[in-house]
Amino acid sequence: DERLDVEGFWIAGAAKERAALWEMWQRNGMDQNSHFAIKEMLVHKRSYLIIGEDDDGKALITVHSAAGIYAEHDPLTRKIRRLFHVWEKPETEGGPARATLYTKNYNQDYTRKGGQWLLGERLDHNFGVCPAVALINRAMIGDYRGRSQMDHVVKHQDAAARILTNM
């Protein structure tokens, strides 16, 4: 796990930019949150970082599990074209499900009430790129969905469970 720690950024001849990137990383608590992203990626094949803006207008980096996320990748560059993220929250816990569509020029929020998706706030950011990055474990050319570090264990666990249930 320590081998995957981020210890800084390197941009040749750009000390000021390196310092600004590191300050942003620290301000977002990414020295701790990056561990969550890495563990999620190792176990579940991938995780996501979504970039936005906080209340003060500064860059906000959030870490997300692949659960509830659909990402459309460009087949040539493998960059994310669009990302759709659904947060399921039972109405018994005080709220409807929410979803956000992230695109290269805007983010569109949705809320589900009574089984219907309703349009919410739209944020035009005009970044020119989707504000999401996938961390993919063991991606390969032609298959950038990734592989879990648990794949080899799951096969044996499934076989053991079948043996036990067939007794």
Side-chain angles (χ1 to χ4, degrees):
D1 198 270
E2 290 83 28
R3 292 179 295 158
L4 300 174
D5 286 348
V6 177
E7 296 179 351
F9 298 96
W10 179 256
I11 305 169
K16 210 189 260 186
E17 289 82 354
R18 286 194 311 261
L21 282 171
W22 188 246
E23 187 276 327
M24 178 180 61
W25 187 261
Q26 294 294 312
R27 184 173 22 84
N28 281 281
M30 290 303 293
D31 39 346
Q32 174 64 39
N33 291 333
S34 64
H35 288 276
F36 297 133
I38 290 167
K39 285 180 186 172
E40 190 74 23
M41 172 197 70
L42 292 172
V43 173
H44 298 290
K45 304 178 190 179
R46 58 192 169 279
S47 63
Y48 295 89
L49 301 179
I50 298 178
I51 291 73
E53 200 174 85
D54 68 13
D55 294 336
D56 297 325
K58 295 184 177 183
L60 175 68
I61 305 169
T62 54
V63 174
H64 299 271
S65 165
I69 288 184
Y70 170 76
E72 177 186 294
H73 294 261
D74 182 304
L76 295 175
T77 65
R78 292 189 222 140
K79 290 182 181 176
I80 297 173
R81 285 184 181 162
R82 292 184 288 193
L83 184 135
F84 191 68
H85 187 185
V86 178
W87 293 271
E88 291 291 339
K89 187 170 185 183
E91 291 181 17
T92 57
E93 291 181 18
R98 289 185 46 232
T100 303
L101 173 66
Y102 298 90
T103 73
K104 66 180 185 173
N105 293 317
Y106 66 90
N107 301 341
Q108 178 66 58
D109 287 332
Y110 299 89
T111 343
R112 187 172 64 206
K113 287 188 180 179
Q116 271 190 333
W117 284 104
L118 307 171
L119 272 174
E121 185 181 349
R122 176 179 162 138
L123 171 66
D124 294 312
H125 54 67
N126 297 312
F127 289 156
V129 295
C130 182
V133 177
L135 302 179
I136 304 172
N137 186 50
R138 300 172 62 194
M140 304 198 46
I141 295 173
D143 180 10
Y144 44 86
R145 292 173 295 175
R147 297 200 187 340
S148 170
Q149 293 297 104
M150 307 303 286
D151 282 351
H152 68 287
V153 174
V154 171
K155 292 175 190 170
H156 299 296
Q157 181 67 33
D158 285 349
R162 274 196 288 294
I163 290 168
L164 287 172
T165 57
N166 288 334
M167 293 183 133

